[in-house]
Amino acid sequence: KQEVTQIPAALSVPEGENLVLNCSFTDSAIYNLQWFRQDPGKGLTSLLLIQSSQREQTSGRLNASLDKSSGRSTLYIAASQPGDSATYLCAVYTGTASKLTFGTGTRLQVTL
Amino acid sequence: DGGITQSPKYLFRKEGQNVTLSCEQNLNHDAMYWYRQDPGQGLRLIYYSQIVNDFQKGDIAEGYSVSREKKESFPLTVTSAQKNPTAFYLCASSISSGPTGELFFGEGSRLTVL
């Protein structure tokens, strides 16, 4: 059974700092991995989708990497801003189960 | 603008009542999903539909029912059989249900049982 873990559960950083969010998964037989952002009381917004054949994806200040063999993905946020404050979730699509499994998220706060 | 619309945003229900949550999408996506989100837990799949007039149970389907009569619509009914229905419910869609489909979400509906 696929398990997705995100550590830390919460993170606070000062504005301008570069930061890394972690996502690990137990079954490496994945098709893709997706990073989402969720603001309080809102739905999820897709940030980046990495296919299993890819090593990384970039969108603006965000860069997501994938190391399938070690069961890890990282989301790098450059020059963080207070507007980046949100919960970040990763989800993996596992081939053996044909389903998407979500992590519990990392709650990020960027302070002035 | 294309997107997914969920209604109502907030809903209160008395025990023993059925309630229906609406989900409409204008993205022309084939696949639609219902997830439940509880504090400290990852999203859990309730039901999903790959095509009109077809749907499958997810991991926690007990106490819920769905229909998919139109491509754009995938309503979720929370029945009185659901033991702990207070939660945040999220509807999502993707172009297809296969592994390459990027998932798009609505804004969610928060159900509280009084």
Side-chain angles (χ1 to χ4, degrees):
Chain A
K1 177 188 171 188
Q2 178 73 273
E3 293 183 4
V4 180
T5 304
Q6 292 186 249
I7 295 173
L11 180 64
S12 181
V13 302
E15 182 181 13
E17 195 164 293
N18 302 327
L19 61 102
V20 173
L21 305 180
N22 298 297
C23 172
S24 61
F25 45 93
T26 54
D27 184 349
S28 61
I30 68 168
Y31 278 107
N32 60 42
L33 183 146
Q34 196 166 356
W35 281 94
F36 297 90
R37 168 189 172 132
Q38 185 176 30
D39 293 295
K42 302 286 189 181
L44 279 66
T45 300
S46 177
L47 297 173
L48 291 163
L49 172 68
I50 311 178
Q51 302 296 344
S52 62
S53 58
Q54 297 175 315
R55 296 285 294 181
E56 63 179 273
Q57 279 281 5
T58 299
S59 175
R61 293 184 295 109
L62 305 179
N63 176 277
S65 68
L66 174 63
D67 185 342
K68 216 172 71 161
S69 60
S70 67
R72 291 185 200 170
S73 175
T74 61
L75 179 66
Y76 174 83
I77 302 178
S80 58
Q81 303 170 358
D84 295 330
S85 298
T87 297
Y88 292 81
L89 297 99
C90 66
V92 296
Y93 193 101
T94 306
T96 50
S98 296
K99 63 178 289 187
L100 199 60
T101 305
F102 284 83
T104 53
T106 294
R107 190 171 68 252
L108 172 67
Q109 183 175 13
V110 180
T111 58
L112 291 170
Chain B
D1 280 13
I4 302 174
T5 302
Q6 288 187 242
S7 63
K9 190 171 176 61
Y10 300 97
L11 186 60
F12 298 89
R13 188 195 94 174
K14 293 182 181 178
E15 284 194 22
Q17 287 182 334
N18 293 352
V19 293
T20 297
L21 307 181
S22 170
C23 178
E24 303 277 334
Q25 56 99 357
N26 60 4
L27 299 168
N28 199 33
H29 285 173
D30 284 324
M32 297 187 73
Y33 312 81
W34 274 106
Y35 287 91
R36 171 179 171 142
Q37 186 176 35
D38 295 283
Q41 296 192 38
L43 273 70
R44 293 182 290 169
L45 182 64
I46 305 172
Y47 268 98
Y48 66 100
S49 168
Q50 297 173 298
I51 199 167
V52 174
N53 293 322
D54 184 57
F55 48 83
Q56 286 80 39
K57 293 182 179 179
D59 299 320
I60 55 166
E62 185 176 351
Y64 299 98
S65 66
V66 294
S67 62
R68 186 86 186 276
E69 297 176 2
K70 298 186 299 182
K71 187 175 185 177
E72 305 78 26
S73 178
F74 191 42
L76 173 74
T77 296
V78 185
T79 75
S80 56
Q82 169 50 233
K83 301 296 183 205
N84 184 21
T86 294
F88 190 52
Y89 291 88
L90 289 158
C91 178
S93 71
S94 62
I95 291 177
S96 70
S97 63
T100 57
E102 185 177 2
L103 214 56
F104 296 87
F105 282 84
E107 288 289 281
S109 293
R110 185 168 298 282
L111 173 63
T112 303
V113 174
L114 303 173

